[in-house]
Amino acid sequence: MGRELTSIEKQTLALAGVTQAARIVDQVSRTGTYPVEFLESSMHSLFTFDASDVAEVYGGIAGVKLGLINLSAMLANRDEAENRDVTRYVFNLLYLERKFAASPEMMSVVHSRLEHASFRAEHFASHVGAICHSVSGIYQDTLSQLRYRIKVTGSEQHLRDEGNADIIRALLLAGIRSAFLWRQLGGRRWRLLFQRKQLLQTSQALSRNLPVV
């Protein structure tokens, strides 16, 4: 972009990371398919420990274009059936992140295991399935043990598929990572209502000049 992002732009990108994870979870659970490039970007965010800026977490702003588009739809109050579950997942992830952040020991375990698994993440395109399997195991051993669970709905056939289940769990962890980043950048759930118009305009502006995928 060639300039320092503003505070609201940084928050919008992190919130788009949450929304992107939610959108792909919804797509995988309903159809068993997923957009590879955006799944890779979401997985990339889990293994970027020392990013110099928010965009770098996702491999660039284009890495969360899907999230920006869906965040805009959500904030514009488009009450289409396909948006309802995505919106529910977004708020579930924001809530679960707070439970996760209340357990420093669990956070330490997740960080340590992601660092250990990061060597496998060097070539996302050819190993995204294996990476999701590894991350899924981390999610199962940690966040799945919390009392609060995110209920994923969709096609029973697709949800029973182990590969899809791995992708969904990995995306939930990626969503938690983005939710944590959003809160670090000053994002708060109670502010979403008051910042809705500003976030909508920002998400539209950020996605406007991105390449067509």
Side-chain angles (χ1 to χ4, degrees):
M1 188 172 271
R3 61 169 175 80
E4 175 71 21
L5 294 173
T6 65
S7 175
I8 194 69
E9 286 175 332
K10 291 175 182 178
Q11 289 179 27
T12 301
L13 283 180
L15 197 55
V18 180
T19 310
Q20 180 160 296
R23 164 53 70 195
I24 306 175
V25 163
D26 184 59
Q27 182 176 334
V28 172
S29 67
R30 288 187 299 103
T31 69
T33 66
Y34 53 86
V36 178
E37 66 276 25
F38 294 120
L39 175 61
E40 289 175 16
S41 294
S42 292
M43 290 302 101
H44 183 276
S45 71
L46 287 168
F47 299 99
T48 308
F49 304 111
D50 300 302
S52 58
D53 59 61
V54 181
E56 190 184 325
V57 171
Y58 306 102
I61 295 176
V64 281
K65 181 174 182 178
L66 180 68
L68 288 167
I69 291 169
N70 282 274
L71 178 60
S72 296
M74 189 175 81
L75 293 168
N77 241 347
R78 293 184 204 154
D79 193 26
E80 296 153 356
E82 66 181 65
N83 290 332
R84 289 174 198 157
D85 279 334
V86 175
T87 301
R88 176 170 63 85
Y89 295 145
V90 167
F91 282 96
N92 286 172
L93 286 164
L94 296 181
Y95 182 79
L96 185 58
E97 186 276 328
R98 298 303 295 119
K99 299 294 182 185
F100 177 55
S103 176
E105 183 179 341
M106 184 179 289
M107 291 180 72
S108 177
V109 169
V110 169
H111 183 77
S112 174
R113 288 186 59 178
L114 283 172
E115 282 188 318
H116 180 70
S118 65
F119 73 95
R120 303 178 198 175
E122 291 174 7
H123 306 289
F124 284 89
S126 55
H127 295 106
V128 71
I131 291 164
C132 286
H133 178 71
S134 179
V135 174
S136 172
I138 297 172
Y139 185 90
Q140 281 183 294
D141 293 343
T142 55
L143 283 114
S144 283
Q145 305 306 311
L146 293 173
R147 182 176 294 180
Y148 182 80
R149 306 279 187 88
I150 295 177
K151 181 173 174 56
V152 175
T153 56
S155 159
E156 189 176 343
Q157 173 194 348
H158 297 309
L159 289 170
R160 276 199 312 233
D161 182 272
E162 279 302 316
N164 291 338
D166 282 343
I167 291 170
I168 287 169
R169 291 189 201 102
L171 283 164
L172 292 177
L173 189 55
I176 294 291
R177 191 267 189 269
S178 287
F180 181 77
L181 178 61
W182 174 71
R183 198 166 50 79
Q184 278 186 313
L185 293 166
R188 297 293 181 269
R189 283 182 296 160
W190 63 268
R191 283 190 197 154
L192 287 175
L193 181 64
F194 303 105
Q195 290 183 315
R196 171 179 257 163
K197 186 175 180 181
Q198 191 179 13
L199 286 165
L200 173 59
Q201 292 171 340
T202 305
S203 60
Q204 290 173 333
L206 285 170
S207 63
R208 193 170 293 132
N209 298 317
L210 292 175
V212 176
V213 177

